[in-house]
Amino acid sequence: MSAVIHLQALGLTEYEARAYTALLALGRAVPARVARQAGIPRPKIYETLERLEGRGLAAKVGQNPLEYAPLSAREYLARARRSFDDRLGALDRDLSRLAPDPAPEAVYHLYGEAAIRSLCEDLTLNARQHLYMAGEPQLADRLERLTPRGVKLHRAELVNLPSIAAEGQRAFLLARDGEAALIAHFIEDGQHGEPHGVHTHNPVIIHLIEGYVNLVARPLTP
């Protein structure tokens, strides 16, 4: 069950996640029934339900017989979201103390299609105002679907340019909010080599990509 997997990712044990989803399905139940529903050994169900109670996910609603009921999943998600945001904020502060933001002229090399596509998705999802892209229609289609609502998308084909990729390679350009850019080279089918690219915060490269896309594309608002 996918809900069990997601709850485990948030810190619950497998038994806790299974017991909680079973409680949500049952509404309220005696421990033995929860154990059957969740597929948890009877000797483990009492300690599992007690841990859920300690996490604020379940509560005793009867003593004779002993019954448990689930507490609000919505409240738990809101609490988990606040906790995650607090951790991200603390991590951001700690990392900022360890190292400054990368210099604008820095260029970072990327190797492998998975790394390139992952960074393209991150840049797209983090866009706030403008996103510029050119080349690789299938990748551009996916990024267009991921573009946050309200972000102006500027998209173009790579035309009327000197070749910026070697023979047997296909180029892709991406720039976000005047802050970050990516240039990637994908490998044609049947050709040898590894997809590669560069990621940079260099304003010159960013503005070159934006300027090119603006010449041949019109803005789209998802």
Side-chain angles (χ1 to χ4, degrees), residues 114-166:
I116 293 169
R117 290 181 179 275
S118 178
L119 183 56
C120 286
E121 291 179 4
D122 287 345
L123 291 174
T124 299
L125 291 168
N126 289 328
R128 301 183 306 278
Q129 295 180 320
H130 295 275
L131 196 65
Y132 299 80
M133 64 180 74
E136 278 300 281
Q138 288 186 339
L139 175 57
D141 286 344
R142 170 162 175 74
L143 298 180
E144 183 172 332
R145 291 192 295 271
L146 293 177
T147 300
R149 185 179 299 277
V151 171
K152 289 186 178 178
L153 173 63
H154 310 255
R155 180 174 167 181
E157 297 181 3
L158 282 173
V159 295
N160 300 323
L161 274 182
S163 177
I164 60 174

Side-chain angles (χ1 to χ4, degrees), residues 19-73:
Y20 184 57
T21 55
L23 277 174
L24 289 173
L26 295 170
R28 61 184 287 172
V30 297
R33 189 179 179 200
V34 178
R36 288 196 301 272
Q37 178 81 10
I40 297 173
R42 287 277 293 272
K44 294 289 186 181
I45 192 61
Y46 291 95
E47 63 184 77
T48 300
L49 290 170
E50 287 176 2
R51 288 199 302 269
L52 285 180
E53 189 175 17
R55 289 180 179 273
L57 289 172
K60 294 185 182 76
V61 292
Q63 291 292 342
N64 189 22
L66 174 64
E67 288 185 314
Y68 281 85
L71 296 182
S72 169

Side-chain angles (χ1 to χ4, degrees), residues 110-121 134-140 143 158 164-174 182-198:
L110 302 167
Y111 297 96
E113 186 165 338
I116 293 169
R117 290 181 179 275
S118 178
L119 183 56
C120 286
E121 291 179 4
E136 278 300 281
Q138 288 186 339
L139 175 57
L143 298 180
L158 282 173
I164 60 174
E167 185 177 352
Q169 299 179 2
R170 306 183 308 277
F172 181 72
L173 310 177
L174 181 66
L182 176 143
I183 300 174
H185 292 166
F186 294 96
I187 307 301
E188 297 278 6
D189 292 340
Q191 299 296 317
H192 297 290
E194 181 181 30
H196 56 280
V198 294

